[in-house]
Amino acid sequence: MGTLATQLRLRRRRLPRGVALMMVIAVIAIAAVLGYVMLSTASLQNRAGSNQSKLVSADYLAESGLNIAMYYLQHPEQSPATNADGYWAGMNSNYTLPNGSPSTLIVSVTQALDTSTAPSTSVPWTYEVVSSASVGSSDDPSRRVTRTTGARIFVRSEYVMRPGAVLANNNITFVGPITANGDVYGSKNMALKNGPSGTPVVNGAGYSMTQTTGAGYLFPRDLYHGIVNSSAGTPIAPRNADVNLYKTYTVDDKPYSADILDALTSLLNGLLGLLTRQPSANNPGGVMFKEGTFTLSDNVTINGTLVVDGDLIVNGANITINPQPGFPALVVTGNLEMVHSGKSLTTNGVTYVGKQLKSSGTLIPLLNSTLTVNGGMIFGTPDGVPIAPGYNAKTILNYNAAKARAPELSSALRERKGVTIVRWGLP
């Protein structure tokens, strides 16, 4: 019992006041430290969450800058301004995002350079874009998040023919039995001259800078209209220096070569029956290339493209050229000469003549040689006149929008048709 009582008395003894106070202070200090840690952690988490939100916003805003650049490079006419080279060069603008955060977007657009040459040369239709976005107040740089990205962009372009049966550089006078079913475009003066070799007809409008009218001259069905060029003589059609000869070409980004007609080949004919030239696995465009004067004789069908870097003489009947989709039917850098009588050539696609349309030989009545173009006729003639005086072959030039397509015909007079990302991100 004594022992138990002693124990009870000992348990009822109180700690010294100083010790108890120290323990209370220690507990309060620990609680304060824990509270501070909790508040600090919450503050860091809040700031981290805010920075993450800013980071995501900056990423999206920077990519938006790339999309803006792609749109304005494809549609420069829609951009706020273009530089001396004709493209949108970028921007530096401040915004307030939907969540209320202030932001800045800086976009820089420059012509891509080929550094493998000395000095470096620009890469046609290719641009380097750098887009930098900052989110957060500029007054507090420590809380401002910046993201920068970039891209190398190729603007897809193609030659687009004006919607007409005939496009002609220089002065053009229609003589002889020529019928153009569609509009006619000329870069300078245009005339329809009635004469002994026949009556020209234009079933459409005539667009030119000036026109010749009066006695002996006719009007297009839909009359003449002015055409505006930035300077006199500006070409509205590709010229020989611009035209594609298709000795090499690409289909679905794969390179191919034309079939080269050797120097001994001066004519192509089907005297022993119909001769048909077809595309092949190595030449899917069915392109045939001939350098120098070339003669087409009877019964020839080309299911592809004929390119003559020189003069083409049509001295045969029943000749037809059917190009593959996206290719021209006929490209002649020199003269296209129709021989009389009873000869015939039909091209079912874009037909280009670099110099003159001519006729030769003796015309037998009712056996007029005939040239028919279904698609569009282009005269690149930089000097002289596209149709030779005295031309008297029966000629029918039909505009056909579906066949008037040859996107790679010319390196000039091209329109933007889309964009391709060559590289996404900074180099």
Side-chain angles (χ1 to χ4, degrees):
M1 291 295 293
T3 302
L4 180 59
T6 302
Q7 291 175 351
L8 291 174
R9 285 195 298 271
L10 291 173
R11 289 177 181 176
R12 287 197 298 267
R13 290 179 180 175
R14 298 179 178 177
L15 293 173
R17 184 180 298 273
V19 175
L21 182 60
M22 291 296 294
M23 293 180 65
V24 170
I25 293 173
V27 170
I28 293 173
I30 292 172
V33 171
L34 290 175
Y36 176 79
V37 170
M38 293 174 65
L39 288 173
S40 178
T41 301
S43 176
L44 288 174
Q45 289 177 340
N46 181 63
R47 184 166 182 178
S50 175
N51 286 344
Q52 182 63 30
S53 176
K54 293 177 182 177
L55 183 63
V56 172
S57 296
D59 277 331
Y60 282 131
L61 188 58
E63 290 194 7
S64 294
L66 295 182
N67 288 319
I68 292 171
M70 285 188 285
Y71 178 79
Y72 284 150
L73 286 173
Q74 185 180 351
H75 303 284
E77 72 281 358
Q78 301 292 335
S79 67
T82 56
N83 61 14
D85 294 321
Y87 65 87
W88 183 69
M91 61 184 293
N92 185 342
S93 298
N94 296 319
Y95 300 95
T96 299
L97 299 179
N99 61 8
S101 296
S103 63
T104 300
L105 176 63
I106 301 174
V107 181
S108 172
V109 181
T110 56
Q111 187 86 45
L113 296 177
D114 180 1
T115 57
S116 64
T117 62
S120 299
T121 57
S122 61
V123 182
W125 300 95
T126 306
Y127 304 88
E128 290 288 351
V129 181
V130 177
S131 178
S132 180
S134 299
V135 178
S137 174
S138 58
D139 295 333
D140 188 359
S142 65
R143 295 177 180 269
R144 189 170 172 87
V145 175
T146 299
R147 298 289 286 178
T148 301
T149 187
R152 188 182 180 96
I153 297 171
F154 172 69
V155 180
R156 298 196 309 273
S157 63
E158 64 179 48
Y159 168 72
V160 179
M161 184 173 174
R162 290 175 185 246
V166 180
L167 272 66
N169 292 329
N170 217 316
N171 303 315
I172 181 168
T173 298
F174 287 82
V175 296
I178 299 177
T179 299
N181 293 311
D183 296 338
V184 176
Y185 292 83
S187 66
K188 292 185 179 179
N189 185 74
M190 186 182 301
L192 276 65
K193 187 176 182 180
N194 194 13
S197 61
T199 302
V201 176
V202 173
N203 291 314
Y207 294 90
S208 61
M209 295 186 69
T210 59
Q211 304 85 32
T212 299
T213 59
Y217 290 92
L218 307 172
F219 283 85
R221 183 195 65 190
D222 299 333
L223 304 180
Y224 282 117
H225 301 271
I227 187 171
V228 178
N229 289 322
S230 58
S231 61
T234 296
I236 61 172
R239 296 170 291 190
N240 283 348
D242 308 317
V243 77
N244 185 358
L245 299 182
Y246 293 93
K247 294 181 72 173
T248 60
Y249 61 93
T250 60
V251 175
D252 296 330
D253 295 327
K254 294 182 180 179
Y256 297 97
S257 297
D259 292 336
I260 307 298
L261 300 177
D262 60 43
L264 298 178
T265 304
S266 60
L267 58 83
L268 190 65
N269 65 69
L271 294 177
L272 300 179
L274 296 179
L275 174 66
T276 302
R277 297 294 295 256
Q278 300 281 12
S280 64
N282 294 327
N283 184 10
V287 181
M288 296 171 52
F289 177 85
K290 172 66 177 180
E291 185 172 2
T293 300
F294 188 58
T295 300
L296 283 172
S297 192
D298 295 325
N299 303 321
V300 174
T301 297
I302 300 173
N303 291 322
T305 298
L306 176 62
V307 179
V308 180
D309 191 9
D311 295 337
L312 175 64
I313 300 173
V314 178
N315 194 24
N318 193 30
I319 304 169
T320 304
I321 303 178
N322 303 307
Q324 298 301 300
F327 287 82
L330 177 64
V331 175
V332 178
T333 61
N335 300 317
L336 172 56
E337 181 178 334
M338 298 295 300
V339 178
H340 286 305
S341 279
K343 314 304 182 184
S344 62
L345 168 64
T346 299
T347 62
N348 293 309
V350 174
T351 298
Y352 173 88
V353 175
K355 291 185 178 179
Q356 280 189 321
L357 188 61
K358 303 173 68 176
S359 60
S360 63
T362 303
L363 173 60
I364 300 175
L366 304 180
L367 287 179
N368 205 322
S369 293
T370 303
L371 169 64
T372 303
V373 175
N374 297 312
M377 184 78 180
I378 300 175
F379 293 105
T381 315
D383 302 305
V385 292
I387 302 175
Y391 178 78
N392 60 355
K394 182 180 180 181
T395 303
I396 303 171
L397 308 174
N398 300 313
Y399 173 66
N400 185 314
K403 296 180 179 180
R405 283 188 51 78
E408 299 306 317
L409 177 67
S410 170
S411 60
L413 305 174
R414 298 172 72 86
E415 295 181 5
R416 293 167 168 83
K417 289 298 177 182
V419 294
T420 299
I421 304 298
V422 180
R423 183 199 67 247
W424 190 268
L426 295 172

